[in-house]
């Protein structure tokens, strides 16, 4: 199950990048996919309420909405970090390595 979720999360950035570049722009795409992520998290919580579990809603929320939201955000948030540095500016060329994530 974990491999299926990770596969969805790492495939959906293609969709998020396409939507950001072709239609909505980076900031609106982050907002839309963030809302999808939050909706999925809320539905997962509702679907797992003790005594009233709804397994199909939990699976749909987890693999559909949360994976789609996380992946759609992933391709756009990474570029925001790169935008913080202006390589034409002398002080920005001294980028601390602790601000760059490798994982």
């Amino acid at each position: 199950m974990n491999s299926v979720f990770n596969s969805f999360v790492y495939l959906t950035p293609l969709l998020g990048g396409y939507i950001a570049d072709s239609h909505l722009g980076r900031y609106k795409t982050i907002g839309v996919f963030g809302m999808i992520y939050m909706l999925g998290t809320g539905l997962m919580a509702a679907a797992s309420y003790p005594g009233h579990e709804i397994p199909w809603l939990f699976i749909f929320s987890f693999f559909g909405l949360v994976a789609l939201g996380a992946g759609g955000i992933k391709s756009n948030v990474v570029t925001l970090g790169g935008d913080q540095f202006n390589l034409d500016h002398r002080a920005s060329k001294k980028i601390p390595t602790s601000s760059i994530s490798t994982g």
Side-chain angles (χ1 to χ4, degrees):
M1 289 298 231
N2 190 30
S3 297
V4 174
F5 178 75
N6 285 336
S7 296
F8 284 137
V9 168
Y10 284 101
L11 285 174
T12 52
L14 296 170
L15 177 65
Y18 171 75
I19 290 173
D21 290 343
S22 301
H23 302 289
L24 296 178
R26 188 181 324 151
Y27 299 108
K28 287 182 183 176
T29 303
I30 290 171
V32 167
F33 281 100
M35 297 301 279
I36 292 170
Y37 186 91
M38 288 191 320
L39 177 66
T41 304
L43 285 175
M44 271 182 21
S48 61
Y49 187 76
H52 302 284
E53 296 90 359
I54 307 171
W56 68 267
L57 182 59
F58 184 86
I59 296 294
F60 170 74
S61 300
F62 184 62
F63 288 113
L65 299 177
V66 173
L68 178 65
I73 291 170
K74 187 179 291 289
S75 61
N76 295 295
V77 170
V78 170
T79 58
L80 288 177
D83 288 346
Q84 304 306 309
F85 300 104
N86 181 2
L87 294 180
D88 294 332
H89 191 262
R90 185 175 181 178
S92 292
K93 290 183 181 180
K94 299 177 183 177
I95 300 170
T97 57
S98 63
S99 68
I100 300 173
S101 174
T102 59

